[in-house]
DNA sequence: TTGTATGCGTTATCAA
DNA sequence: TTGATAACGCATACAA
């Protein structure tokens, strides 16, 4: 690249000093309109770009946001991170921030001097990192609520699951089971709790037997539903499943047992992953807009970094997408 | 965070000067073993972490790698970026580098002072950015070969497609068509060229009519195959498709025409996207290891940044994954 | 083998 | 409203 101009270069040409240039370019008060105009013009002509490192050094800030990702993210298979990253990066860029990836393994190296704040994903129940970040006083926003005091971007899990259960009830289902992922994750227990509330709201029974836990994977879903149906009599005619990924496995498992989706059993997933409409049958699922979540998270984090008043938490809407994995209740087959 | 120690702090405690500390910590020659040992010990005790901004300022380097992503990446639906990012970040972190995301829209802001080098994805035919980066003298490694002189990490497209065609031939197919994505992308023309070569190697005819171009999307695949089969007589019994995503659409389109995959027509995809084994039928496809590609790219870029001898390009193997979208040739239906 | 001096480019403080 | 000066933390050239 040709030459990298500095405030000095601009100062010289504008017949002022570097300090004035700095003030002018940063819209500080105390610079006359004319000189400011002149300085800005010269800066543009020269294609001046400030040296972030120098600014960072004096201001003790890096102007970069970190996206914190657990080492073995369970959501890696789908496009969760692509989307969240796009949302974050879009608003961060506009605000002059860079977005960096921080993996669990390397938190310590990056904690100091590399990022001004973090956006946290896939938090676990008692997450040691939350404590670490608080101790280090590094600002963060969590994707998914941790507790009521910590800043977070959450989705309306409750509302989404309420829609799903309501829809199942409208199809005649009264016995609804739940297939859960690992309960160490916040989002998993949130989804389960919401499920319980939704059942209650509809006056439906909650049978402990109708719940099954497994890893968040296709194999997990399969295994969970097979185990459940083998041990239970008077089984559910419908299942709410923790994630779309597990839902695919649940459909496998049902098929193993000679049960057809949606003819014999209805299933509803969560997330609306890209493959949700690709699989057979296309999944009825609760869609969340991860891209939008990313934008909110970045906005909130940047606001707090810049000392602006920021909402401590937002809850974004979700909506039920009706596809082919659900139909009217049909007890005949299950009861044999 | 408690206190951030500097080289000064260490120097004071070690009874030496900051310069010596710097040299010791960076393994430069000219520091006695004892003092070096002492300095290192103190640094560890204090939990010293160097201030990257200060270092960057003096060395004119940022110690961050940029992953350059087009604004509307066609591969966004699948986990391409998640995987590549993971590969890049793993090796970058170990080498002390941070990885940042650079979107097309914001290249200019980030070009200077924010990244030391770039890893390029989804390059187009005459990519203006390549010229820009060369003009700015910013080192880069491209995912997918641009030309013979520019550093790149590529996959053995030729080998993979050869395997695929060979497999189809072994199943009795002699009339093989090709469904292509937008020819502005390098990878698309690479795949098509390899296809032509593979046909030639097996003495198979290449009919211009058996090729169809469409956007890299599910709808694109569907549309491409339907158009092709409507205008052509004596149609192919098998298709090679540019991406798994389009392959899903091709299967849709075939079904529209009353054709079953794999009974009537065989199809082979490319990439082995996460959903490749989730769809019906599970796709036979050419698998590439994007994660590994990311690791190589990061390694190469860091080597060049640090002045080490680096390979200008590597070609990683791919392999044919046989699933259910292919079977023995069956002309009966098509010919009616 | 170690110390001294200097500069990287910016912002901030204070004086003019 | 502007200028002079210092400081951020580190690395390096050169002197001791």
């Amino acid at each position: 690249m040709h030459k990298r101009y500095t405030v000095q270069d601009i100062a010289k040409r504008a017949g002022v000093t570097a300090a004035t240039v700095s003030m002018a370019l940063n819209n500080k008060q105390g610079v006359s309109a004319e000189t400011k105009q002149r300085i800005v013009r010269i800066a543009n002509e020269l294609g001046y770009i400030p040296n972030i490192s120098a600014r960072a050094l004096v201001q003790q800030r890096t102007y970069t946001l970190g996206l914190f990702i657990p080492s073995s993210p369970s959501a890696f298979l789908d496009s969760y991170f692509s989307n969240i990253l796009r949302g974050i990066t879009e608003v961060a860029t506009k605000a002059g921030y860079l977005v960096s990836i921080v993996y669990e393994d390397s938190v310590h190296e990056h904690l100091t001097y590399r990022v001004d704040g973090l956006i946290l994903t896939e938090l676990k129940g008692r997450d040691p990192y939350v404590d670490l970040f608080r101790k280090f006083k590094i600002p963060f926003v969590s994707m998914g609520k941790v507790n009521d005091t910590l800043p977070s971007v959450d989705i309306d899990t409750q509302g989404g699951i309420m829609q799903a259960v309501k829809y199942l009830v409208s199809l005649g289902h009264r016995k609804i089971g739940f297939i859960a992922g690992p309960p160490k994750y916040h989002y998993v227990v949130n989804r389960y709790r919401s499920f319980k509330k939704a059942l209650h709201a509809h006056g439906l029974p909650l049978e402990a037997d109708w719940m099954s836990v497994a890893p968040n994977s296709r194999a997990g879903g399969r295994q969970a539903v097979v185990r459940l149906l083998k041990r239970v009599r008077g089984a559910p005619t419908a299942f709410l499943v923790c994630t779309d990924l597990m839902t695919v496995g649940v459909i496998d498992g049902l098929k193993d047992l000679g049960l057809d989706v949606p003819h014999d059993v209805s299933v509803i997933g969560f997330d609306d992953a890209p493959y949700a409409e690709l699989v057979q049958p296309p999944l009825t699922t609760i869609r969340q807009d991860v891209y939008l979540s990313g934008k909110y998270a970045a906005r909130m984090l940047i606001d707090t970094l810049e000392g602006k008043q920021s909402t401590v938490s937002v809850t974004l809407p979700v909506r039920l997408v009706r596809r082919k994995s659900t139909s009217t209740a049909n007890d005949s087959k299950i009861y044999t």
Side-chain angles (χ1 to χ4, degrees), chain A:
Chain A
M1 97 176 34
H2 316 95
K3 166 152 171 52
R4 288 174 148 139
Y5 294 99
T6 72
V7 279
Q8 303 287 353
D9 297 315
I10 299 176
K12 206 168 293 171
R13 284 161 219 244
V16 294
T17 184
T20 309
V21 174
S22 175
M23 292 172 69
L25 260 25
N26 292 297
N27 293 314
K28 306 259 175 176
Q29 297 189 331
V31 177
S32 74
E34 303 121 285
T35 49
K36 176 168 173 175
Q37 197 180 359
R38 184 159 31 102
I39 288 170
V40 169
R41 184 174 49 73
I42 295 174
N44 285 335
E45 283 173 11
L46 262 37
Y48 168 75
I49 296 177
N51 183 323
I52 291 287
S53 298
R55 176 185 289 169
L57 183 57
V58 56
Q59 297 193 149
Q60 304 285 35
R61 305 187 42 196
T62 60
Y63 291 92
T64 105
L65 268 33
L67 176 60
F68 180 72
I69 302 182
S71 302
S72 314
S74 67
F76 229 116
L77 191 136
D78 51 55
S79 56
Y80 182 80
F81 286 110
S82 304
N83 286 318
I84 207 177
L85 199 52
R86 193 161 57 94
I88 294 171
T89 310
E90 271 188 26
V91 346
T93 296
K94 285 203 186 98
Y97 287 76
L98 204 59
V99 178
S100 291
I101 308 303
V102 179
Y103 277 95
E104 190 171 356
D105 331 299
S106 61
V107 243
H108 287 93
E109 288 89 325
H110 292 329
L111 232 44
T112 358
Y113 307 127
R114 300 235 60 167
V115 296
D116 293 337
L118 289 172
I119 292 170
L120 275 30
T121 60
E122 291 213 355
L123 248 29
K124 303 191 185 64
R126 284 195 56 253
D127 201 298
Y129 289 108
V130 172
D131 295 335
L132 181 70
F133 301 146
R134 298 183 70 175
K135 180 175 153 200
F136 272 63
K137 292 195 181 19
I138 177 162
F140 61 85
V141 171
S142 162
M143 304 298 299
K145 183 167 281 191
V146 186
N147 62 42
D148 287 333
T149 61
L150 263 24
S152 63
V153 174
D154 209 347
I155 53 171
D156 184 16
T157 303
Q158 177 71 63
I161 288 186
M162 198 64 93
Q163 280 180 59
V165 168
K166 186 176 173 188
Y167 179 57
L168 288 174
V169 167
S170 79
L171 291 173
H173 294 276
R174 305 216 20 105
K175 294 179 292 184
I176 306 175
F178 190 83
I179 306 294
K184 66 178 171 184
Y185 290 106
H186 272 116
Y187 76 90
V188 172
V189 330
N190 281 345
R191 290 171 190 189
Y192 182 59
R193 280 197 195 134
S194 300
F195 172 70
K196 286 199 295 185
K197 280 189 197 161
L199 284 193
H200 186 75
H202 284 86
L204 260 27
L206 172 71
E207 303 283 341
D209 271 0
W210 295 352
M211 209 271 263
S212 187
V213 177
N216 178 24
S217 65
R218 184 181 188 180
R222 174 183 225 140
Q223 173 195 336
V225 76
V226 168
R227 268 205 321 248
L228 189 152
L229 288 180
K230 283 203 167 158
R231 74 165 181 247
V232 123
R233 0 179 320 116
T237 61
F239 285 99
L240 223 67
V241 188
C242 217
T243 64
D244 284 344
L245 183 54
M246 291 187 84
T247 308
V248 176
V250 166
I251 294 173
D252 293 338
L254 259 9
K255 189 179 290 176
D256 291 349
L257 297 170
L259 264 17
D260 178 72
V261 174
H263 182 72
D264 302 313
V265 181
S266 289
V267 298
I268 295 185
F270 207 116
D271 291 337
D272 196 23
Y275 48 83
E277 60 168 348
L278 264 35
V279 298
Q280 264 324 316
L283 304 183
T284 295
T285 183
I286 297 162
R287 170 186 293 172
Q288 63 162 316
D289 188 343
V290 179
Y291 164 70
L292 191 62
S293 298
K295 292 182 80 162
Y296 271 94
R299 182 74 276 152
M300 285 172 59
L301 185 54
I302 291 172
D303 281 349
T304 54
L305 288 176
E306 307 197 331
K308 294 177 194 156
Q309 196 75 16
S310 165
T311 40
V312 313
S313 66
V314 299
T315 303
L316 301 178
V318 299
R319 75 180 183 80
L320 185 68
V321 180
R322 287 160 205 188
R323 297 204 185 92
K324 304 287 184 189
S325 66
T326 40
S327 72
T328 50
N330 179 359
D331 269 5
S332 56
K333 184 116 183 194
I334 294 246
Y335 271 130
T336 58

